[in-house]
Amino acid sequence: MQGRTAIPALLATLLFATAAPAETLNLLIWESYIDQKILDRWSSITGVAVHQVYYDSGDTRDEVLADPNSRVDLVVTGENSAALFGRKGVLEKLDETNVASLRDYDESWRTRCSGRGLPYLWGTMGILYRSDMLAEAPTSWQDLMRPAAALSKHVAMYDDHNEAFVAPLMLLGQSINTNDSSTLRAAFTLMKEQAPSVLTYEYIISSIQNPAVSKDIYMALGYSGDQHVLNAKAGTPGVWRYAVPKEGTLSWLDCMSVVANSQNKDRALALLDYLGSPGSAAANALALNMPTASRAAHALLPEEVRSDPAIYPSPDILAKSQYQQELSTESVQLRRRIISTLANFQ
Amino acid sequence: MNLGKRALILIFPVVLAGYLLAAISVHVTQSRSIRALEHAKLSQRLEHAAAVFQNEIGRSKGFLNALLNGNSLRQYVSETDASYRANALGVRLQESVKSLLDDPTGYVSLALLSSELKSEYYFENSWDPFAEIDEAQLNLARRLIREDKLADWTYLYEAGQRPRIVYSFFLDPIAFTRPLPSKKSNALLVQVAIQPDRFLDMQQALKKEYGSDIVLQPWPLAVTDDLSASVHLGPSLYATLTVSSEHFDALMAQQKFLLALGAVAMSLFSIWLIIMLIRRFITDPIATLDANVMAVMVGARDEIRDMEEKGEIGRLTENIRELHRQSVQSLKLVQRSSWTDTLTGISNRGHFNALAAGVVREAIAASEKCSLLFIDIDNFKFVNDKHGHEIGDELLKTLATRIAERVDAITERRGQKPAILARLSGDEFAVLVRSRPGDGTVREISGAILSLFEDGFEVADKRYPVTASIGAAICPDDATNLTELIANADAAMYQAKTSGKNRSARYSRALHDKRTRLRQIQDELRSLDPDEQFHLVYMPMVDTEGRVTGCEALLRWYSPVLGNVTPDEFVPIAESSGLFTKIDWWVINKAMSDCGQLKALFGPETVLAINISSAELHSKAIADHFADCLQRHGLEARSIEIELTETFAVKFSDQLRRNIDALRQNGFRLSIDDFGAGYTSVQQIIEYTADTIKLDRALVSNLTASHSLPVLKALIALCHAKDVAVVGEGIDTPEKLSMLTAAGCDLFQGYLISKPLPIEDLAIWALTRTARYAHDEALDEQQSRQAIA
């Protein structure tokens, strides 16, 4: 909760303070979601600094994007947000004319970013767990939603109105994009039952850095790839692991976009093009152990990476996965209120 | 019950009643002000609640203003893309609303309603994410849309609903300001609702405290008697709280309880304090005094200790001390007087016995000796009778003082322990001295005492003819216990007395034997059967013609133990030991029984003379006994002559005179025996009328030896003048007979005629005498005839 109220304040400070004469690009992005070396290289080439501003939930990011006064130049969004903010004109329309490296990306990927973003990285949602605390790896959303008594108060959930619903809705066998109020009510019931076991509703990457709770989290809802960040943050290589439940999951795609009213839109487009280029994209994917959407970059990756199921999910997992789709206004409102209630009244 | 308990029982009800009375007074006077105070408190609390409520209104208004001034609401309202508004801007608005809350779990709701009551936006921060705007709020909105007001706050508090303050504001979505009334139909209605938690808490607290709920109503409180208050919360909204009388009563009951508890607690404390003080200053001193007195009573202490208290207890202590002192003194006085002879101030017999017994025991135990001197004053009775008791008493006192002086001087000089001096009875004194044998102490003391009486005893410059007889006995030579010692000293004293006045005698073997015989005689007399051991002998009396005119009965005693005991020996003993009545009565009866025989021997006119101890005549019973015996034996009184020794006259009393007169009137004859042996005065002979006077044998012998015929003649003539017959006793020679005959004596008695004879022998004597008498008569007749011839 503290992190949550602090972040908008932090953002505001940073955004207004960085209106400095020296050229700087503000990149709104998940923490540890880009290889710093690549940014450094670009800065050394162009002399433009790239300043990362972190968010830890899609809702927080959307809140910033919705503020017309924000100084964000580039942003990593989800498929839905790319569509929403793209349609609204908050995000610059992208094609090969302003971002040449888009040519390396399949049309299917580009469509999911609604033509407003460069398909950045993709992956799944699943259960992150500490292998030293759990005797067996979780196999079902049941393990997260109805945790064993030993895991009570050792679970971290996630207060995002989209992703937080993946677990209960998958468990219920429903579409993760449902707008049905009664289905959401059933999901809410599940989540309420889980609430007493939940230690925090803060995104695991943030909460692992909160000394008050970090040691007590044994299991969390998260994204593929997060286990590497967690192991790095906690200094426990190999301890944190990632599992995709058998019920299926969300298959997500992050898009990197340029904010339409950016003061340095050209520089931002240039950075985006650089990041989307095969070399950068491949390096980034390697550094983060995540799959890239660039054909050219994919080709650059070593074979063992390309065939690693921990990085590239197996086809049967992907077969059971669902993509994010735009939700109805009521559904969004309801989901927000549900997650807000859970986080508030835990 | 001790004083402490008594004090507690007395004080406790009084103190308790006092405190309860005080508590009741306080209760009565205070209950009104307590009520006023309660009312003020209630009003104040309600005012406070109202202030909190106002604050909550302000909060709701503040929320609305914050939203109006921020741009999230403005952005949301002005956005026309519904999807973007819902997804992107809704989350901003939601965060803005939530950021207004201090408590993230607090209730707040924001509703945006079109003029057609279509809900443009609704968010509520509560446990129910599915909550929709409720009917009450919609009704409010409907009413507000109808009315002219552009801003309003309302408190929705219907039962079953969340109580909330709803702040409503009409907003022109284009100008983002308050619309003109004409444009109200296009305006949005913005409603911020908050739950006045603090006010509700307060309401709950008040309900809990007063037992009744705050009543919210559009009018203020009507005046009632109840404890109640009312405050203005807003337009047409008043909060009223009426406290039930039970609550107030409970409050008062609590106060009553506290007062009662206080009263009891204060009582207990006061009583404790009082009891402690009473104990410290009153009961403890009394208890100490009591213990003190008890200690003296059981003898643990001699005197009651002074407690150095002031006031009553000090005085009481002092008085008890004084009382005890006086008692002890009185006791000493009584003890001393019980040991002291009141007249002389020296020890009395009791004290002497006690002291002397101790000395005797000590002496025997220590193989030492002690001597007892028994002192008797001779002729003291004479002095007492002649000079009066005062002189007698004075004499005894003086004597006691002087004996004490002399004895003390001697023992002191000789370095001996002080002698014990005591007055044993009337004129008897005793001195017990711890002497060594043969050192002359006893002799010296005796001499010193006797020397006091040389030429009579001097008292107050006058000399009185008294002397002393002292008997001495030594322990353990003469006796080994005190009683014996006293008895022996007494005996020695008698020895001294009988051997002449003013001398001393030492107890001796002879004396001891004499006393032993005396005691034996006494014992035998006391136990004997007179018929067995006593017998009578008769001594005939003859006239000048030689005819037996009478016989005197004389008592003879033959004891199987003592042999013959002469009357001279046993009669005085019998008289002194009071045994003579028994003897006399036996003699009277026995003699009278023999009387008939005597008459047969000597003729019917024979007189029987019976000796009676004069002491007997003091009793009237003797006269009756005489009469009884007379009757029993068929005798006439004139045949009996009662012989009294002349000594009787000395103790001539009225009773004696009456008894003698009675006997004489009965016809008994009376004779005075042993005339001339004692102190009988001639006067008494003249005064007293006897039938016969018997001249004592000593007198007869004296007068015969000195040839005092004229004296004898005169004496007999004197008797004859009084018409009294004269008997000469002790006629044992013819000279005595011829002389008495010549002097005119009437009758003769003595060994010349006959010794006393048992009646059987007397009969023989009578026969021989008759024969001789006849011979003599014949001889005489012959001589007479020869003379005539």
Side-chain angles (χ1 to χ4, degrees):
Chain A
M1 206 42 49
Q2 210 168 6
R4 196 173 181 93
T5 48
I7 283 165
L10 174 73
L11 286 168
T13 331
L14 288 172
L15 296 181
F16 290 105
T18 48
E23 269 189 302
T24 306
L25 288 174
N26 290 323
L27 171 59
L28 185 64
I29 191 169
W30 301 96
E31 188 174 0
S32 306
Y33 204 44
I34 193 165
D35 185 5
Q36 185 63 39
K37 291 197 203 77
I38 300 168
L39 292 178
D40 292 346
R41 201 175 305 133
W42 188 74
S43 293
S44 64
I45 297 165
T46 60
V48 177
V50 179
H51 182 79
Q52 289 190 65
V53 178
Y54 302 137
Y55 58 84
D56 60 358
S57 82
D59 289 349
T60 311
R61 174 197 63 209
D62 291 354
E63 211 182 321
V64 177
L65 283 180
D67 185 353
N69 298 320
S70 79
R71 301 290 176 103
V72 174
D73 299 301
L74 291 109
V75 64
V76 172
T77 67
E79 296 163 82
N80 281 353
S81 294
L84 182 68
F85 287 99
R87 201 164 60 241
K88 186 61 194 166
V90 172
L91 302 178
E92 186 71 17
K93 196 173 167 58
L94 300 178
D95 54 27
E96 281 137 1
T97 56
N98 51 6
V99 180
S101 57
L102 269 175
R103 64 177 171 265
D104 293 328
Y105 294 81
D106 286 349
E107 190 57 33
S108 59
W109 289 118
R110 285 167 63 178
T111 311
R112 286 175 68 181
C113 285
S114 304
R116 301 280 175 162
L118 174 85
Y120 178 55
L121 290 168
W122 62 278
T124 54
M125 282 215 85
I127 300 172
L128 295 158
Y129 65 96
R130 271 179 65 169
S131 55
D132 58 338
M133 289 297 173
L134 270 71
E136 289 175 26
T139 56
S140 162
W141 289 114
Q142 185 88 16
D143 298 330
L144 180 71
M145 292 309 292
R146 294 184 179 124
L151 294 173
S152 181
K153 286 290 168 197
H154 293 295
V155 174
M157 282 301 284
Y158 183 22
D159 62 348
D160 185 273
H161 78 277
N162 280 317
E163 272 86 322
F165 285 87
V166 169
L169 287 174
M170 274 295 175
L171 195 57
L172 289 169
Q174 298 288 333
S175 161
I176 60 167
N177 298 309
T178 183
N179 291 323
D180 179 43
S181 174
S182 58
T183 308
L184 289 175
R185 195 180 287 272
F188 175 54
T189 307
L190 268 179
M191 292 162 94
K192 259 206 296 196
E193 284 166 9
Q194 180 206 26
S197 302
V198 174
L199 180 64
T200 175
Y201 282 91
E202 197 177 21
Y203 178 41
I204 180 66
I205 299 295
S206 293
S207 55
I208 200 71
Q209 298 175 66
N210 177 359
V213 295
S214 59
K215 293 275 186 288
D216 292 326
I217 304 169
Y218 300 161
M219 186 159 69
L221 178 67
Y223 303 104
S224 53
D226 280 351
Q227 69 272 26
H228 306 294
V229 183
L230 291 175
N231 283 328
K233 295 276 184 199
T236 53
V239 166
W240 279 101
R241 292 187 189 161
Y242 176 75
V244 177
K246 61 188 180 199
E247 291 87 355
T249 185
L250 164 73
S251 173
W252 53 266
L253 170 66
D254 276 345
C255 310
M256 190 175 279
S257 306
V258 171
V259 175
N261 60 355
S262 164
Q263 306 271 314
N264 293 305
K265 201 195 288 181
D266 292 344
R267 286 291 192 190
L269 285 169
L271 174 58
L272 183 60
D273 183 48
Y274 176 76
L275 291 178
S277 64
S280 298
N284 198 34
L286 271 179
L288 299 178
N289 289 307
M290 295 190 78
T292 178
S294 165
R295 277 191 320 273
H298 187 256
L300 292 177
L301 291 173
E303 178 52 35
E304 69 269 21
V305 172
R306 283 185 292 179
S307 59
D308 184 353
I311 298 173
Y312 288 89
S314 60
D316 57 314
I317 286 177
L318 288 175
K320 284 192 279 181
S321 297
Q322 300 179 16
Y323 294 152
Q324 245 173 16
Q325 288 167 7
E326 226 174 321
L327 303 171
S328 74
T329 309
E330 289 75 20
S331 179
V332 171
Q333 295 254 27
L334 197 52
R335 285 167 180 243
R336 279 193 200 290
R337 280 175 60 185
I338 288 169
I339 198 68
S340 163
T341 300
L342 286 169
N344 269 4
F345 293 89
Q346 185 198 5
Chain B
M1 188 186 300
N2 63 31
L3 280 176
K5 280 185 191 152
R6 188 173 297 176
L8 182 67
I9 286 171
L10 290 176
I11 292 166
F12 186 77
V14 175
V15 172
L16 186 63
Y19 274 108
L20 285 178
L21 200 65
I24 289 167
S25 309
V26 168
H27 175 70
V28 168
T29 54
Q30 290 297 301
S31 56
R32 183 182 292 273
S33 55
I34 285 168
R35 195 179 177 86
L37 197 68
E38 276 302 309
H39 191 266
K41 190 175 146 197
L42 180 65
S43 298
Q44 191 201 0
R45 299 204 58 176
L46 215 52
E47 293 285 353
H48 186 199
V52 167
F53 190 79
Q54 296 295 339
N55 189 26
E56 298 280 17
I57 294 169
R59 193 156 71 96
S60 68
K61 192 174 177 182
F63 280 10
L64 184 63
N65 285 334
L67 290 172
L68 290 177
N69 293 332
N71 66 356
S72 57
L73 180 61
R74 181 189 296 263
Q75 201 183 355
Y76 188 92
V77 168
S78 53
E79 179 58 56
T80 50
D81 182 340
S83 173
Y84 180 72
R85 190 169 67 189
N87 277 304
L89 301 180
V91 71
R92 281 202 75 205
L93 190 54
Q94 185 176 321
E95 288 306 315
S96 299
V97 172
K98 282 170 69 177
S99 70
L100 295 172
L101 287 170
D102 295 331
D103 173 9
T105 63
Y107 174 85
V108 65
S109 76
L110 172 69
L112 298 178
L113 295 165
S114 69
S115 56
E116 290 82 31
L117 286 176
K118 184 172 173 296
S119 174
E120 299 285 336
Y121 178 82
Y122 183 74
F123 168 72
E124 105 176 20
N125 194 50
S126 74
W127 245 123
D128 183 10
F130 302 92
E132 296 291 337
I133 186 164
D134 69 356
E135 201 54 36
Q137 206 169 327
L138 281 175
N139 287 340
L140 172 66
R142 197 171 290 125
R143 180 167 63 79
L144 289 173
I145 288 165
R146 254 197 334 268
E147 288 174 0
D148 296 336
K149 275 201 277 186
L150 295 177
D152 169 79
W153 71 261
T154 304
Y155 184 46
L156 297 177
Y157 55 87
E158 298 303 321
Q161 291 177 352
R162 188 190 290 276
R164 66 218 122 120
I165 294 167
V166 182
Y167 206 96
S168 308
F169 188 81
F170 285 96
L171 184 71
D172 188 302
I174 312 300
F176 209 71
T177 176
R178 187 179 291 209
L180 289 175
S182 58
K183 289 282 188 183
K184 195 179 166 192
S185 58
N186 297 329
L188 277 175
L189 177 58
V190 183
Q191 285 187 323
V192 172
I194 61 154
Q195 183 172 306
D197 292 322
R198 287 181 59 210
F199 175 75
L200 292 171
D201 289 348
M202 206 163 268
Q203 190 174 8
Q204 206 57 38
L206 285 172
K207 182 175 181 178
K208 195 173 172 189
E209 184 172 344
Y210 291 107
S212 51
D213 214 346
I214 290 181
V215 177
L216 295 167
Q217 53 193 19
W219 50 84
L221 168 77
V223 176
T224 64
D225 284 343
D226 288 329
L227 186 61
S228 58
S230 190
V231 289
H232 184 222
L233 293 180
S236 297
L237 188 62
Y238 292 86
T240 301
L241 186 62
T242 302
V243 179
S244 65
S245 55
E246 286 81 14
H247 172 79
F248 184 72
D249 289 346
L251 201 70
M252 291 315 291
Q254 192 185 2
Q255 195 214 352
K256 277 182 205 163
F257 174 72
L258 284 175
L259 277 173
L261 198 67
V264 171
M266 283 302 290
S267 301
L268 291 176
F269 176 70
S270 303
I271 285 155
W272 174 78
L273 199 63
I274 290 169
I275 294 295
M276 291 310 286
L277 291 174
I278 285 177
R279 190 173 294 169
R280 168 67 186 81
F281 293 105
I282 298 174
T283 55
D284 276 358
I286 291 175
T288 310
L289 178 59
D290 182 39
N292 236 325
V293 172
M294 191 63 83
V296 172
M297 279 169 66
V298 300
R301 201 177 297 145
D302 287 336
E303 205 183 358
I304 293 161
R305 206 167 46 206
D306 188 6
M307 298 202 295
E308 291 165 5
E309 286 274 349
K310 290 193 174 65
E312 288 86 344
I313 290 169
R315 283 201 295 279
L316 180 61
T317 309
E318 196 44 55
N319 288 343
I320 290 175
R321 272 160 61 85
E322 185 56 36
L323 197 63
H324 179 248
R325 262 203 297 272
Q326 286 178 5
S327 301
V328 168
Q329 209 171 0
S330 300
L331 187 67
K332 279 182 187 160
L333 220 58
V334 167
Q335 213 164 27
R336 202 163 62 201
S337 64
S338 78
W339 290 125
T340 306
D341 176 52
T342 43
L343 179 65
T344 59
I346 61 175
S347 296
N348 59 16
R349 181 184 283 274
H351 197 204
F352 178 78
N353 284 342
L355 292 176
V359 171
V360 167
R361 267 199 309 276
E362 280 171 25
I364 289 170
S367 302
E368 287 174 1
K369 295 194 178 185
C370 61
S371 308
L372 176 66
L373 278 70
F374 199 103
I375 305 158
D376 185 82
I377 314 302
D378 308 318
N379 297 336
F380 176 71
K381 183 170 164 43
F382 170 77
V383 173
N384 225 9
D385 291 346
K386 190 175 180 190
H387 299 284
H389 286 289
E390 289 78 12
I391 296 297
D393 289 349
E394 194 55 39
L395 190 149
L396 289 174
K397 274 199 274 185
T398 312
L399 177 60
T401 312
R402 289 189 190 160
I403 291 175
E405 284 170 2
R406 297 293 166 99
V407 172
D408 285 349
I410 290 164
T411 52
E412 201 174 329
R413 180 162 49 72
R414 286 175 173 267
Q416 294 170 346
K417 288 179 185 170
I420 297 163
L421 172 63
R423 182 185 171 211
L424 300 183
S425 66
D427 56 357
E428 289 175 347
F429 292 83
V431 174
L432 185 71
V433 59
R434 269 163 275 195
S435 62
R436 283 179 292 280
D439 64 356
T441 310
V442 173
R443 206 175 310 122
E444 187 177 354
I445 291 173
S446 298
I449 294 171
L450 290 175
S451 71
L452 293 170
F453 296 92
E454 280 169 14
D455 304 324
F457 188 77
E458 180 259 319
V459 179
D461 297 333
K462 275 190 79 177
R463 290 197 168 272
Y464 296 93
V466 291
T467 53
S469 297
I470 301 175
I474 294 169
C475 170
D477 298 352
D478 300 333
T480 51
N481 65 60
L482 182 65
T483 315
E484 216 178 322
L485 190 65
I486 292 173
N488 290 349
D490 190 19
M493 186 273 290
Y494 269 105
Q495 179 68 33
K497 195 186 279 286
T498 48
S499 59
K501 305 295 170 71
N502 217 34
R503 57 181 67 196
S504 64
R506 167 73 204 283
Y507 180 78
S508 64
R509 189 74 225 171
L511 191 57
H512 176 79
D513 292 346
K514 194 175 160 188
R515 283 178 63 80
T516 305
R517 181 166 175 83
L518 186 85
R519 201 160 50 238
Q520 281 175 338
I521 289 170
Q522 270 180 354
D523 292 346
E524 289 297 317
L525 281 177
R526 200 166 280 128
S527 62
L528 64 75
D529 177 2
D531 288 329
E532 284 178 5
Q533 298 192 17
F534 285 155
H535 67 273
L536 291 178
V537 292
Y538 295 93
M539 197 168 195
M541 282 174 281
V542 297
D543 60 9
T544 47
E545 304 281 314
R547 270 197 321 266
V548 174
T549 59
C551 291
E552 183 185 2
L554 295 168
L555 180 59
R556 289 294 180 268
W557 178 23
Y558 176 78
S559 164
V561 179
L562 303 170
N564 278 318
V565 185
T566 64
D568 289 343
E569 192 178 6
F570 80 78
V571 166
I573 294 169
E575 281 184 332
S576 71
S577 54
L579 293 165
F580 214 76
T581 304
K582 175 183 171 186
I583 299 171
D584 270 349
W585 283 39
W586 183 83
V587 168
I588 290 165
N589 188 44
K590 181 66 183 170
M592 285 196 190
S593 72
D594 286 344
C595 194
Q597 273 184 278
L598 291 176
K599 282 180 189 288
L601 287 176
F602 304 115
E605 298 302 317
T606 309
V607 171
L608 175 63
I610 302 171
N611 287 286
I612 293 298
S613 164
S614 57
E616 283 302 314
L617 281 172
H618 288 287
S619 155
K620 193 175 175 292
I622 194 78
D624 297 337
H625 186 62
F626 268 109
D628 288 349
C629 292
L630 207 59
Q631 205 175 3
R632 188 181 305 137
H633 300 295
L635 299 173
E636 289 175 350
R638 62 188 179 85
S639 301
I640 307 298
E641 189 167 86
I642 299 167
E643 282 193 13
L644 298 170
T645 47
E646 58 150 349
T647 52
F648 86 91
V650 177
K651 302 158 190 166
F652 207 67
S653 69
D654 286 349
Q655 181 63 45
L656 188 65
R657 187 194 294 273
R658 272 198 298 277
N659 286 346
I660 290 169
D661 284 348
L663 284 170
R664 280 181 65 84
Q665 270 170 14
N666 284 342
F668 290 102
R669 296 170 64 85
L670 199 69
S671 76
I672 295 172
D673 201 4
D674 297 338
F675 182 80
Y679 300 97
T680 322
S681 66
V682 174
Q683 170 96 28
Q684 282 166 330
I685 301 171
I686 294 164
E687 267 184 7
Y688 195 73
T689 50
D691 296 293
T692 309
I693 284 179
K694 297 178 85 170
L695 299 179
D696 184 71
R697 78 181 60 151
L699 181 69
V700 168
S701 292
N702 282 345
L703 291 176
T704 311
S706 60
H707 303 284
S708 306
L709 185 59
V711 177
L712 203 55
K713 269 187 176 168
L715 182 61
I716 292 168
L718 176 66
C719 293
H720 284 164
K722 286 291 290 175
D723 203 14
V724 173
V726 178
V727 178
E729 288 184 303
I731 309 298
D732 47 9
T733 60
E735 287 79 22
K736 287 179 185 171
L737 179 62
S738 60
M739 193 164 171
L740 281 171
T741 308
C745 187
D746 301 304
L747 297 168
F748 307 95
Q749 192 180 11
Y751 275 55
L752 188 64
I753 298 143
S754 173
K755 61 177 185 180
L757 293 169
I759 194 153
E760 300 83 25
D761 294 348
L762 196 61
I764 297 164
W765 178 80
L767 285 176
T768 56
R769 163 115 180 132
T770 309
R772 202 173 65 210
Y773 186 70
H775 172 76
D776 285 354
E777 205 161 67
L779 203 69
D780 285 351
E781 220 172 294
Q782 193 181 1
Q783 281 176 352
S784 303
R785 272 196 307 273
Q786 283 172 349
I788 294 165

